[in-house]
Amino acid sequence: MTDAREQLGGALAQLRIGYRLVVAYQRRLLDLARRFEAGVRARHPDLNFERWAPTDWSMPPSGTTNPMPRWAWDFVPLYRCEFRWLTGATPAPGAFWLWLTHYADTGWPAVSKTENDPLGFAEAAGCDTIVWPGVLAIPLGGSVSAPPPSWDALYLSLNSKDEDWMDRVAHERDVDGCTVRWGGFTCSVSELAEPSDVEKNLIEPTLQLLDLAVGRPTGTSPAP
Amino acid sequence: MLLAFSRRKVRRLFSETADVDEVIETLRYASEDTLTAMVLGRVQYLSAGLAWSLLTGVVQLMRGAMPPEPQECRLEFWPSYEDPEDPGGWVEPDVVWVDPRIVLGIEVKWRGTQDPAQLDKEYRALAQAFPGREVAILALGGMGSTQLDELKTRCATENLLVLSWAKFAQGVRAREAELASGPAKAILSDIALVLAERGLGDTSRLTTFATLPAWPLGLALPWTPIVPHGGFLPLVTLGRHGLERALSPLADWRIA
């Protein structure tokens, strides 16, 4: 056997390990999302799942679409993805749009118009695996323009800064005639080992943020 | 599901898209009508006492009085009644439990929100259609704190019950656990499965990250030692550098 063949054989053995680990991880990630959903729904029974999607590339192609020209990333949609829920089909006072973004690897380059080669990423040990809850809400007593915009349109008009989604504060602004509050925070998956960790480090802070976001409006200043 | 097909609740989905996979996804995970058929279509096979306890056992009484337990379980799906305030108009509750003493209209919402005007209209139509019987409306799903406030202030229905899907699912699982094997347990088990597919499953048995196989997983497997470029360096563990070294020959591998 040549050196090259041996080397590739070794890499492929580790690839098999990697696949097994990815599937084991994804099972746990989906269950984390279920725990998160159930925890929020216990306080907000009208919470409905809206959609999920990879954040930085396309969904896997359907059975009749030629997959060969597509990015390989399209086939690992959960690597960087978001799960989304809402309590009202359109924005209304007291309604909110909630999402949980998952980055399996913060080493993925932030901006890329081409198919990233993961073999060139920064060393994995120096990166993190995170989830990132975010909330966009119309507070109780807040105003909504008529007809109400879609949540997507509201989010795009908000044109917010990334740091606004990381400081656990419910920011507030008038957007296209709607009173909008938004905020979020990041959490390393390493802090979510046990169900009690998920409750303490993910669900409770999300519920607190939702309380801030859905509570009474405070004018133009951030909510307390 | 047959109920949803026979009442032409499925056909309209095909008029919205030609993508069969999308229609199947909608039927299974998103459609309010198929959820009604798959859940309440099974509830009707239960005894009156068990079915009634599932629907009213943990219910929130918003207005009026709790109706007495019916004698028999007879559910009608998407029946039409004349609208007393709109001659020639019709009202179609999702499900109506018809009993010699009581009539319970069930308005199901999945993803949508309850509308006080719709509930009032259904109440009036049922009261007209079943004179002398005790009529109540059960709003199943579609309620947040805003909708609850609206129902309290704007709904005129005399006997109004409210039940969230999460509480209903909890009740189904609790009753299933209590029952010994038999037809009722099988029916409840089926209902619990349908609800789990809608995100209303039992979260106590979910996996946790604490049980993720610890790295290095490879030690348990027969694997070929890796010889990196530049010399023989057997790797006895797959530490973080091990994986990145392993990727190196993969980076060099090209088919075309």
Side-chain angles (χ1 to χ4, degrees):
Chain A
M1 197 183 283
T2 65
D3 276 359
R5 184 177 289 191
E6 280 179 8
Q7 287 166 7
L8 181 55
L12 293 176
Q14 299 203 15
L15 169 82
R16 295 192 285 277
I17 296 166
Y19 261 110
R20 294 173 193 195
L21 198 57
V22 164
V23 174
Y25 175 78
Q26 292 196 161
R27 175 69 270 153
R28 284 153 183 79
L29 174 68
L30 293 169
D31 282 357
L32 172 76
R34 284 176 68 185
R35 264 182 216 286
F36 179 75
E37 176 185 64
V40 176
R41 187 177 279 140
R43 178 87 61 90
H44 299 277
D46 52 338
L47 186 78
N48 284 318
F49 176 77
E50 186 209 5
R51 61 168 295 166
W52 75 281
T55 53
D56 298 271
W57 46 80
S58 303
M59 287 288 236
S62 71
T64 53
T65 301
N66 180 2
M68 277 76 89
R70 299 279 294 262
W71 284 13
W73 291 107
D74 293 357
F75 300 88
V76 284
L78 291 181
Y79 181 85
R80 286 171 75 88
C81 69
E82 61 182 10
F83 305 94
R84 291 174 14 184
W85 298 266
L86 40 75
T87 61
T90 54
F96 62 83
W97 196 30
L98 170 71
W99 58 93
L100 185 68
T101 301
H102 167 252
Y103 293 158
D105 182 356
T106 55
W108 203 85
V111 178
S112 178
K113 289 181 179 173
T114 56
E115 184 176 12
N116 278 323
D117 181 356
L119 305 185
F121 286 3
E123 190 178 297
C127 301
D128 201 357
T129 299
I130 63 167
V131 287
W132 187 352
V135 175
L136 187 68
I138 306 291
L140 288 166
S143 57
V144 177
S145 58
S150 68
W151 286 109
D152 276 301
L154 209 53
Y155 174 79
L156 289 173
S157 296
L158 184 61
N159 195 22
S160 55
K161 296 174 289 188
D162 274 358
E163 51 266 35
D164 286 356
W165 298 94
M166 296 182 199
D167 56 9
R168 299 179 186 235
V169 169
H171 302 271
E172 182 175 314
R173 193 196 301 160
D174 189 87
V175 179
D176 297 342
C178 300
T179 314
V180 176
R181 284 188 190 167
W182 74 98
F185 64 96
T186 60
C187 176
S188 171
V189 173
S190 63
E191 293 171 24
L192 302 174
E194 301 284 356
S196 57
D197 300 324
V198 175
E199 191 66 35
K200 181 181 154 208
N201 297 327
L202 183 64
I203 295 172
E204 268 308 315
T206 301
L207 291 174
Q208 285 164 12
L209 186 60
L210 281 169
D211 286 346
L212 291 174
V214 178
R216 293 272 158 201
T218 56
T220 52
S221 58
Chain B
M1 277 298 284
L2 178 61
L3 290 164
F5 279 103
S6 64
R7 297 306 306 271
R8 303 172 69 85
K9 300 292 181 182
V10 174
R11 181 183 295 269
R12 66 180 177 204
L13 292 174
F14 283 95
S15 67
E16 289 163 11
T17 175
D19 186 334
V20 173
D21 287 339
E22 193 182 327
V23 170
I24 290 170
E25 287 269 304
T26 302
L27 290 173
R28 190 166 170 183
Y29 301 112
S31 159
E32 186 178 285
D33 293 329
T34 52
L35 179 68
T36 303
M38 289 191 287
V39 171
L40 295 173
R42 287 183 166 102
V43 165
Q44 68 176 331
Y45 301 135
L46 300 169
S47 69
L50 180 52
W52 189 251
S53 75
L54 287 178
L55 290 171
T56 65
V58 287
V59 82
Q60 189 177 351
L61 181 63
M62 296 290 292
R63 296 173 64 93
M66 189 70 104
E69 183 176 317
Q71 296 158 355
E72 56 189 56
C73 186
R74 190 157 72 83
L75 305 188
E76 293 179 8
F77 290 80
W78 300 290
S80 293
Y81 302 97
E82 278 182 43
D83 183 348
E85 296 190 355
D86 177 18
W90 296 89
V91 178
E92 188 186 85
D94 292 305
V95 181
V96 178
W97 184 324
V98 183
D99 179 79
R101 288 187 302 160
I102 69 123
V103 175
L104 178 71
I106 305 174
E107 182 54 39
V108 176
K109 291 293 178 203
W110 180 258
R111 296 194 169 181
T113 50
Q114 294 285 355
D115 171 13
Q118 183 185 18
L119 298 174
D120 284 347
K121 190 189 273 196
E122 290 177 3
Y123 178 79
R124 287 194 299 268
L126 289 174
Q128 177 181 269
F130 297 97
R133 297 192 213 185
E134 197 163 330
V135 175
I137 297 289
L138 170 63
L140 176 55
M143 244 97 45
S145 50
T146 317
Q147 283 74 41
L148 284 174
D149 286 346
E150 271 199 352
L151 291 187
K152 274 181 197 155
T153 54
R154 288 182 45 210
C155 199
T157 297
E158 283 182 30
N159 301 310
L160 178 61
L161 317 175
V162 162
L163 178 62
S164 73
W165 278 109
K167 283 202 167 164
F168 176 75
Q170 224 171 3
V172 168
R173 288 196 303 272
R175 297 308 303 269
E176 186 206 357
E178 289 166 11
L179 290 173
S181 62
K185 190 180 181 76
I187 291 166
L188 291 181
S189 171
D190 271 7
I191 294 173
L193 276 175
V194 171
L195 294 170
E197 291 213 326
R198 301 283 179 132
L200 295 160
D202 180 6
T203 56
S204 67
R205 294 180 188 172
L206 298 177
T207 56
T208 66
F209 286 113
T211 60
L212 192 69
W215 198 256
L217 189 66
L219 288 179
L221 301 168
W223 61 290
T224 311
I226 296 158
V227 182
H229 294 297
F232 179 77
L233 180 59
L235 299 174
V236 290
T237 62
L238 293 175
R240 60 190 172 89
H241 296 296
L243 177 67
E244 279 146 15
R245 284 196 193 103
L247 293 173
S248 176
L250 203 58
D252 297 337
W253 179 40
R254 292 283 183 276
I255 298 296

